[in-house]
Amino acid sequence: MIDFFKGFGVTFSTMFKKVVTEQYPEEKKPTEPRFHGRHVLNRHPDGLEKCIGCELCAWACPADAIYVEGADNTEGERFSPGERYGRVYQINYLRCIFCGLCIEACPTRSLTMSHEYELSSDSREAMIFTKDMLMAPLPDGAKPTPHTDAEVVARGLTYYPGPAAQKAAATKAAPPPPAAATWRSRSRSAPTPSSRPAKPAGSGTGTWSRPSGSDATARGSWPA
Ligand code: SF4
Ligand code: SF4
């Protein structure tokens, strides 16, 4: 009998507590800032894709949930800055455990995770998200891929081979400052080409030579 009244006591006290039931899906609560949701393949501001098809995300994935096939950009069809782009990109959300290792591995910050968590489906096929499903929307004023190299150059972009690399190349190509040049000429007593003894044919380390003709794609050889 005492237990009976104890039970009613619990019910009665609960009636005056604040209701914690969430009205999902009518009312969605914001996620935590670092929540790992559905992936996004990001773009540059001009619409080019950040993914370079390197497959590092696929290698990093412990659940083998990512499939990537890279391909070469061409002069007339450029999808990303640089040489390669992700031609095929798929994430299998039946395998993904949302650990985020793939986004850590991505060298271009192409792959990031959104806050979207509504990923259920009654079809196995629908849970394999393809590249067009994962691509971020085009930024305002951007053009969908592919672009041509001429368009990119006309926009004044310096993707090729990238701003940092271009800066480094410019520094490398610049002549040494006069003081350094003078020091070098004083410190080195390198023989001039005319005073250098001629190398016997076929000897020494020589230079790499590309095979010609039909064998042009084969590996070259160092002279013996
Ligand atoms: S979040 Fe983790 S499990 Fe999911 S695709 Fe990325 S690496 Fe794989
Ligand atoms: S998403 Fe990133 S890591 Fe994955 S293939 Fe593209 S560039 Fe490489």
Side-chain angles (χ1 to χ4, degrees), residues 6-200:
K6 267 190 185 169
F8 271 114
V10 170
T11 308
F12 191 72
S13 61
T14 306
M15 283 170 67
F16 300 100
K17 283 189 182 160
K18 192 169 172 252
V19 176
V20 292
T21 308
E22 289 183 12
Q23 303 302 317
Y24 179 85
E26 286 78 22
E27 290 172 24
K28 289 182 194 164
K29 289 184 83 173
T31 60
E32 293 299 321
R34 297 185 67 185
F35 177 83
H36 282 177
R38 191 180 80 96
H39 297 74
V40 179
L41 285 171
N42 296 294
R43 294 176 185 270
H44 289 283
D46 62 345
L48 281 177
E49 298 161 15
K50 287 189 175 179
C51 179
I52 53 171
C54 66
E55 300 182 32
L56 285 178
C57 51
W59 281 96
C61 177
D64 203 11
I66 301 183
Y67 177 73
V68 185
E69 267 181 31
D72 287 341
N73 285 306
T74 63
E75 226 174 89
E77 285 204 321
R78 174 165 292 283
F79 293 83
S80 71
E83 277 180 38
R84 308 265 291 165
Y85 72 100
R87 189 179 68 81
V88 177
Y89 199 100
Q90 295 177 357
I91 297 183
N92 185 340
Y93 282 106
L94 293 174
R95 291 185 169 208
C96 179
I97 53 173
F98 298 90
C99 62
L101 289 179
C102 50
I103 63 171
E104 298 297 334
C106 181
T108 62
R109 296 296 288 157
S110 160
L111 191 65
T112 52
M113 294 174 98
S114 69
H115 289 173
E116 188 182 332
Y117 51 82
E118 294 180 315
L119 291 165
S120 61
S121 170
D122 55 7
S123 148
R124 294 177 71 83
E125 286 75 25
M127 293 304 288
I128 298 174
F129 280 45
T130 53
K131 181 179 168 183
D132 52 330
M133 296 159 84
L134 295 165
M135 277 312 302
L138 277 175
D140 286 343
K143 177 183 176 291
T145 49
H147 299 190
T148 64
D149 276 4
E151 284 171 34
V152 176
V153 172
R155 288 200 293 273
L157 295 176
T158 53
Y159 281 133
Y160 320 113
Q166 285 185 354
K167 202 173 164 191
T171 314
K172 207 171 166 188
T182 311
W183 179 86
R184 197 175 331 179
S185 62
R186 271 208 316 269
S187 332
R188 284 192 187 168
S189 54
T192 58
S194 56
S195 64
R196 193 175 286 152
K199 191 186 292 178

